[in-house]
Amino acid sequence: MSDTVSPLASPFPALPQIAGVTPRVARAGYKDWGRCDLTYVTFDEGTAVAGVFTRNVCCSSEVEIGRDNLAQGSARALVVNAGNSNAFTGYRGREAVEQIMAQVAEHLGCTKEEVFVSSTGVIGVPLPKDKAREGLEKALVAQPCSWNEAAETIGTTDTFAKGATASAMIGETKVTISAIIKGSGMIAPDMATMLGYVFTDAAVSPAFLQECLSAANTRTFSCITVDSDTSTSDTVLAFATGKASNAPLVDANSPGADAFAAAIHDVCRQLAHLVVRDGEGANKFIAVSVSGAVSDESARKVGMAIANSPLVKTAIAGEDANWGRVVMAVGKAGEPADRDRLSIGFGGTWAARNGLPLADYDEAPVAAHLKGQDVTIEVDLGMGDGAATVWTCDLTHGYISINADYRS
Amino acid sequence: MSDTVSPLASPFPALPQIAGVTPRVARAGYKDWGRCDLTYVTFDEGTAVAGVFTRNVCCSSEVEIGRDNLAQGSARALVVNAGNSNAFTGYRGREAVEQIMAQVAEHLGCTKEEVFVSSTGVIGVPLPKDKAREGLEKALVAQPCSWNEAAETIGTTDTFAKGATASAMIGETKVTISAIIKGSGMIAPDMATMLGYVFTDAAVSPAFLQECLSAANTRTFSCITVDSDTSTSDTVLAFATGKASNAPLVDANSPGADAFAAAIHDVCRQLAHLVVRDGEGANKFIAVSVSGAVSDESARKVGMAIANSPLVKTAIAGEDANWGRVVMAVGKAGEPADRDRLSIGFGGTWAARNGLPLADYDEAPVAAHLKGQDVTIEVDLGMGDGAATVWTCDLTHGYISINADYRS
């Protein structure tokens, strides 16, 4: 964890324990630091698993193997290494992951495919197998830890620990979700990466758990950006132990399925926002809401073009209601748009409607809105019913300092 | 022009006069400044014209009208307004452009369609028609000016005037090209925009002139980026007066066509590089060469993903040979690539080959290379024969200062 905490930080919430899930941490010493850097979470037998991974084609062995392991649908353990991403390390990186899987499988008496591994940190350096083995030996027999400790241990350049919780009623049964995440740059493969873990006691089939996670991902993790750079290791995994003994959810028609899907979505949205709130150099949290697009996906793409525009992000950093830069970003998105139907506002006040600056535009409320930490940009394309909201942070001197002054 | 000159600035070259082309400048007073801000260039009858324009769908009236006017193939005048882009101004913006075209057409006795207009500067404010009319009245009767004066007058946030020249032999006849450009952010629609003008005395059909310009554009202007933001007003126009009296070039089979196309390409490449050298906040000029791609276009896209990555650009600003960030950018480009065939180098020294860091990698020559102003990044994908080079600049505190501290 960094010494300087993001001005947008949220305190770590009170996360409920999840029956059938036990987190532990230990120090492998992947970097020359005094902190714990290996997180080990075990699951009781019968735990379903689902996951979404980076689309970066130069992904890590952890991502490749994790994607394959999802097929059999169950999980007994999760291992997260912090301080070394093990990416771009060829066969030696793959050997390190397989060693960890074998060591845990032997200890728990499960299959290797039920052990999921993530790594985050510097790239191009194979994960040291001796440190992984010794660190894991300590973790296997460590006392269980709190969610807060686990959330701190998976972090690298993060400036605060991040967690979220939600619950849902399935019939008369309450199911609970606790989740942690790390991430600060949306991506910086040698420094930071987004890794998220969602734990629930719900009884849910792997297929439906995957359906809920994928649906939530589309509207949460896929709708945030810090710097437009996509990590080689991004991973979000969901684990469901079934210990709540609810009537099992097998598909969207199961009673309570909607409530469970909504709770998963809620937790993923909270986690995604926390990553943006810890964006490198961030001083402002920006929500970009796009309506009137030809489809929801088109709205998302326009929103991401705005959220990724350095000129929009620096304008917000400068508290400047520069809607001309928003026009530019809409136009470069490559999605259907019509300059003469385009409307743009900040904080609920329209600056331009239907392709023209408003004659009676009052900049005072907009200027006041932009001085706050939470900024909204509203865009209506006037083309159709598609809508989406995406989230980002401003682009500041802090981002340059973090990324240009760092040496690999 | 800004007071602080880019450390990468080039002195304005000695540009030859082009027979049949006469530049003039005047002060319209689009902003509250003492400098000239209206450029007026006339062409003798029989001048062919070609152009390439922004793909931004929220483009300005100047771009829409200019694109339409190209169809008839001839030009008698060019008017460039600096200080107001006239973009996103609806029908009032369009009226201002049509007034300028009519005023010049009446003066020269030509058609409105033979008058080309560009504007650059703040957006959302209709170009004031009275200032345009009075400024143009002065320009119509002004003394001819130098290329250097014209290049300064089309500039806005540029820190130095930019020009380039080339020549070609067509049979026994020498044809000459002089060209000027403005641009500093690849784009910032309220501050900066790329406008380029190429003038030649060659006799060339509009169709073949367009073919040469479009081909050059693909490998020059389409291969540069400062900040990934695409202007609403980007325009490059080429004018050919025919005064050299060479055997007319009508297509690629005309004798001398290759030499002329090469000279147009040469001038466009020079202009494109000058824009990057004046990139907002730039301290380093970066060439990214990608080879081994499945096609040239695929190589260009991978190169642009690298050149647009904030993490790669900040690493170069920090003189850090952070090839892990290059791996990430290759992987996020969405083009065919294979982590285990990927090689990455800086300044001609490989840091990683075939998916693995080099065991005997010597960082000393790379560190020395990165301290210079001209940096090269070499990427070989090991997939095929496609290759491309793209150009960008580093991302520095200067970029943030220029764009976050500015008020619209």
Side-chain angles (χ1 to χ4, degrees):
Chain A
M1 295 278 159
S2 167
D3 291 339
T4 313
V5 174
S6 166
L8 306 175
S10 295
F12 196 80
L15 291 198
Q17 288 296 103
I18 302 297
V21 180
T22 309
R24 294 177 169 85
V25 297
R27 190 162 84 82
Y30 292 124
K31 290 181 70 171
D32 185 19
W33 50 19
R35 48 164 278 196
C36 288
D37 51 9
L38 189 152
T39 307
Y40 171 63
V41 187
T42 51
F43 310 107
D44 286 3
E45 287 188 44
T47 294
V49 62
V52 290
F53 298 92
T54 183
R55 279 190 281 257
N56 193 303
V57 301
C58 295
C59 66
S60 66
S61 292
E62 282 82 342
V63 167
E64 284 182 331
I65 294 172
R67 208 179 260 140
D68 290 346
N69 288 354
L70 279 185
Q72 49 79 36
S74 72
R76 291 297 310 284
L78 166 69
V79 176
V80 184
N81 305 299
N84 184 324
S85 80
N86 197 35
F88 209 65
T89 55
Y91 70 92
R92 288 186 294 169
R94 194 170 179 96
E95 283 177 1
V97 181
E98 286 174 346
Q99 173 191 290
I100 291 170
M101 292 162 67
Q103 188 178 353
V104 173
E106 187 180 13
H107 181 78
L108 294 178
C110 67
T111 69
K112 282 169 54 179
E113 288 72 24
E114 291 174 303
V115 180
F116 290 79
V117 182
S118 301
S119 302
T120 175
V122 69
I123 95 156
V125 180
L127 193 74
K129 289 197 278 187
D130 52 345
K131 289 185 180 175
R133 185 186 301 108
E134 289 161 26
L136 194 48
E137 273 171 15
K138 287 186 271 182
L140 294 176
V141 298
Q143 290 296 312
C145 72
S146 68
W147 285 125
N148 197 334
E149 285 175 276
E152 285 187 350
T153 303
I154 66 173
T156 51
T157 58
D158 303 61
T159 75
F160 62 96
K162 305 175 188 72
T165 181
S167 62
M169 291 305 294
I170 300 176
E172 300 295 305
T173 310
K174 179 181 174 187
V175 302
T176 305
I177 303 170
S178 288
I180 58 175
I181 198 163
K182 62 120 347 191
S184 182
M186 171 73 168
I187 325 84
D190 51 358
M191 302 180 60
T193 280
M194 195 194 73
L195 300 177
Y197 307 101
V198 177
F199 310 98
T200 177
D201 54 8
V204 51
S205 68
F208 185 60
L209 185 62
Q210 183 68 50
E211 191 177 320
C212 293
L213 184 64
S214 296
N217 174 61
T218 304
R219 290 168 56 203
T220 58
F221 301 116
S222 294
C223 289
I224 63 171
T225 178
V226 169
D227 52 14
S228 82
D229 278 339
T230 303
S231 164
T232 52
S233 308
D234 288 341
T235 297
V236 178
L237 292 168
F239 304 94
T241 64
K243 294 293 178 184
S245 301
N246 55 287
L249 304 173
V250 296
D251 60 31
N253 297 318
S254 301
D258 285 355
F260 180 73
I264 291 282
H265 180 265
D266 181 23
V267 155
C268 289
R269 186 185 46 74
Q270 292 181 56
L271 294 178
H273 287 194
L274 288 168
V275 171
V276 173
R277 288 190 170 279
D278 206 6
E280 290 172 340
N283 283 326
K284 293 181 190 288
F285 180 85
I286 308 169
V288 182
S289 295
V290 178
S291 59
V294 295
S295 69
D296 289 353
E297 177 58 15
S298 181
R300 190 188 71 85
K301 285 183 180 167
V302 170
M304 288 300 268
I306 297 166
N308 277 325
S309 162
L311 290 170
V312 172
K313 292 157 78 83
T314 48
I316 300 300
E319 302 180 349
D320 177 18
N322 196 320
W323 54 269
R325 296 185 183 181
V326 180
V327 174
M328 173 279 299
V330 170
K332 77 165 182 165
E335 291 297 310
D338 179 340
R339 186 189 61 203
D340 298 332
R341 286 192 252 176
L342 179 59
S343 301
I344 292 166
F346 297 90
T349 303
W350 292 112
R353 291 303 307 259
N354 299 316
L356 282 172
L358 280 188
D360 58 351
Y361 169 48
D362 178 7
E363 202 171 333
V366 172
H369 173 72
L370 292 180
K371 287 195 191 304
Q373 278 190 336
D374 283 87
V375 170
T376 67
I377 302 175
E378 295 87 27
V379 173
D380 190 274
L381 302 179
M383 306 288 288
D385 296 325
T389 299
V390 307
W391 299 275
T392 189
C393 54
D394 55 344
L395 174 56
T396 68
H397 285 289
Y399 183 85
I400 306 293
S401 295
I402 291 168
N403 289 299
D405 303 345
Y406 164 88
R407 286 292 186 288
S408 62
Chain B
M1 295 276 160
S2 166
D3 291 338
T4 312
V5 175
S6 166
L8 306 175
S10 294
F12 196 81
L15 291 198
Q17 290 295 103
I18 301 297
V21 180
T22 308
R24 293 175 169 85
V25 297
R27 190 162 85 81
Y30 292 125
K31 290 182 70 171
D32 186 19
W33 50 18
R35 48 163 278 195
C36 287
D37 51 9
L38 189 153
T39 307
Y40 172 62
V41 187
T42 51
F43 310 107
D44 286 3
E45 286 188 46
T47 293
V49 62
V52 291
F53 298 92
T54 183
R55 279 189 281 255
N56 194 303
V57 301
C58 294
C59 65
S60 66
S61 291
E62 283 82 343
V63 167
E64 285 182 330
I65 295 172
R67 209 180 259 140
D68 290 346
N69 287 354
L70 279 185
Q72 48 80 36
S74 71
R76 289 300 308 284
L78 166 70
V79 176
V80 184
N81 306 300
N84 184 324
S85 80
N86 196 36
F88 208 67
T89 55
Y91 69 92
R92 287 186 296 169
R94 194 169 179 97
E95 283 178 0
V97 181
E98 286 174 347
Q99 173 191 290
I100 291 170
M101 292 162 66
Q103 188 178 354
V104 173
E106 187 180 13
H107 181 79
L108 294 179
C110 65
T111 69
K112 283 169 54 181
E113 290 72 24
E114 291 175 302
V115 180
F116 290 79
V117 182
S118 301
S119 303
T120 175
V122 69
I123 95 159
V125 180
L127 193 76
K129 289 197 279 188
D130 51 345
K131 289 185 179 174
R133 185 186 300 108
E134 289 161 26
L136 195 48
E137 272 172 12
K138 287 185 270 181
L140 294 175
V141 297
Q143 288 299 310
C145 72
S146 69
W147 286 125
N148 197 336
E149 284 176 277
E152 284 186 351
T153 303
I154 67 173
T156 52
T157 58
D158 304 61
T159 76
F160 62 96
K162 306 174 187 72
T165 182
S167 62
M169 291 304 294
I170 299 176
E172 301 295 304
T173 310
K174 180 181 175 185
V175 301
T176 304
I177 303 170
S178 287
I180 59 176
I181 197 163
K182 64 121 342 194
S184 181
M186 171 71 168
I187 325 85
D190 51 357
M191 302 179 62
T193 280
M194 195 195 73
L195 300 178
Y197 307 101
V198 177
F199 309 97
T200 178
D201 55 8
V204 50
S205 68
F208 185 59
L209 185 62
Q210 184 68 50
E211 191 178 320
C212 292
L213 184 65
S214 296
N217 174 60
T218 304
R219 291 167 55 202
T220 58
F221 301 117
S222 294
C223 288
I224 63 171
T225 178
V226 168
D227 52 14
S228 81
D229 279 339
T230 303
S231 164
T232 53
S233 308
D234 288 340
T235 297
V236 179
L237 292 168
F239 303 94
T241 63
K243 294 293 178 185
S245 301
N246 54 285
L249 303 173
V250 294
D251 61 30
N253 296 318
S254 300
D258 285 354
F260 180 72
I264 291 283
H265 180 265
D266 181 23
V267 154
C268 290
R269 186 184 46 74
Q270 292 181 56
L271 294 179
H273 287 194
L274 288 168
V275 171
V276 173
R277 288 189 171 278
D278 205 6
E280 290 173 339
N283 283 325
K284 293 182 191 285
F285 180 85
I286 307 169
V288 182
S289 295
V290 178
S291 58
V294 296
S295 69
D296 289 354
E297 178 58 14
S298 181
R300 189 187 72 85
K301 286 183 179 166
V302 170
M304 289 299 269
I306 298 166
N308 277 325
S309 162
L311 290 171
V312 171
K313 293 157 78 86
T314 48
I316 300 299
E319 304 181 347
D320 178 16
N322 197 320
W323 54 268
R325 296 184 183 180
V326 180
V327 173
M328 173 280 298
V330 170
K332 77 164 181 165
E335 292 297 309
D338 179 340
R339 187 190 60 203
D340 298 332
R341 286 193 252 177
L342 179 58
S343 302
I344 292 165
F346 297 90
T349 303
W350 292 112
R353 291 303 304 262
N354 300 315
L356 283 172
L358 280 188
D360 58 350
Y361 169 47
D362 178 8
E363 202 171 332
V366 172
H369 173 72
L370 292 180
K371 288 194 190 304
Q373 277 189 337
D374 284 87
V375 170
T376 67
I377 301 176
E378 294 88 27
V379 173
D380 189 274
L381 302 180
M383 306 289 287
D385 295 326
T389 298
V390 307
W391 299 274
T392 190
C393 55
D394 54 345
L395 174 57
T396 68
H397 286 289
Y399 182 86
I400 306 293
S401 295
I402 291 168
N403 289 298
D405 303 345
Y406 164 89
R407 287 292 187 287
S408 62

